Amino acid sequence: MEYGFFHPARGYWQTTDVPSPEALAAYPEGTVEVPLRPGADHVWTGESWDPAPLPITRDQALAALKTARDAAIARGIEVDGLRVQTDDLSQSRLTAAALAVQLDPGSTVRWKLATGEFVVLTAPQIIALALAVRAHVQACFNREADLAEAIRVTDDPGTVVIDGF
């Protein structure tokens, strides 16, 4: 019968028999007995053997960043206690409202919050919302740009590393 062992710094090894107490005592501290490794393409998670993540291309990593950026943009923000939507359609509507109140600074707008509640907003409040949403969107693009610059392809073809992670 075979037995598997894992150590965080030394990795995985198997024995073909039950190790003697002397052999077990010689294993480095932190060694744990684990189920047999299903294959070389599996990594120990601390609880189980999971398939190793597949290497991805730089283009795939950039596409994943774009998806994450778009999700972050659409997540919404809170401005002065008001929860506002920040998806593309909401941004467009807020831009139109901000333009309208600049043309007529005395006007007010009934705005529907992300909570479903309607509030009456003054021209300065609409402009403040529009500026906050724009800052949120720009921050999301800035984060994507920073992460995109940190992505590099390694010497292992198809493998991507994000520096700093």
Side-chain angles (χ1 to χ4, degrees):
M1 187 165 185
E2 294 184 82
Y3 298 86
F5 295 90
F6 182 82
H7 183 270
R10 296 195 177 177
Y12 174 74
W13 66 92
Q14 285 180 216
T15 63
T16 55
D17 203 354
V18 177
S20 69
E22 296 80 23
L24 285 173
Y27 286 170
E29 188 175 331
T31 299
V32 293
E33 186 171 357
V34 298
L36 294 180
R37 187 176 185 180
D41 61 341
H42 284 70
V43 293
W44 181 248
T45 67
E47 296 180 7
S48 64
W49 289 107
D50 288 350
L54 296 175
I56 61 172
T57 66
R58 185 172 197 283
D59 287 344
Q60 289 169 322
L62 292 174
L65 279 178
K66 179 189 178 301
T67 298
R69 180 210 65 213
D70 289 345
I73 286 172
R75 197 169 291 130
I77 61 171
E78 189 169 307
V79 181
D80 295 330
L82 304 175
R83 187 82 190 147
V84 294
Q85 295 172 298
T86 54
D87 58 88
D88 291 344
L89 182 57
S90 296
Q91 289 177 56
S92 178
R93 290 175 175 164
L94 187 55
T95 300
L99 176 61
V101 297
Q102 285 184 334
L103 295 174
D104 183 5
S107 65
T108 59
V109 175
R110 289 184 73 192
W111 195 258
K112 187 174 183 179
L113 301 176
T115 60
E117 173 188 6
F118 283 91
V119 293
V120 176
L121 300 173
T122 63
Q125 288 174 308
I126 284 289
I127 292 170
L129 280 183
L131 290 172
V133 168
R134 181 65 207 132
H136 164 72
V137 171
Q138 189 59 55
C140 293
F141 274 94
N142 291 346
R143 180 68 174 142
E144 178 192 16
D146 290 344
L147 291 173
E149 289 170 3
I151 292 174
R152 60 182 170 80
V153 178
T154 68
D155 292 335
D156 182 10
T159 301
V160 172
V161 173
I162 300 178
D163 291 330
F165 287 89

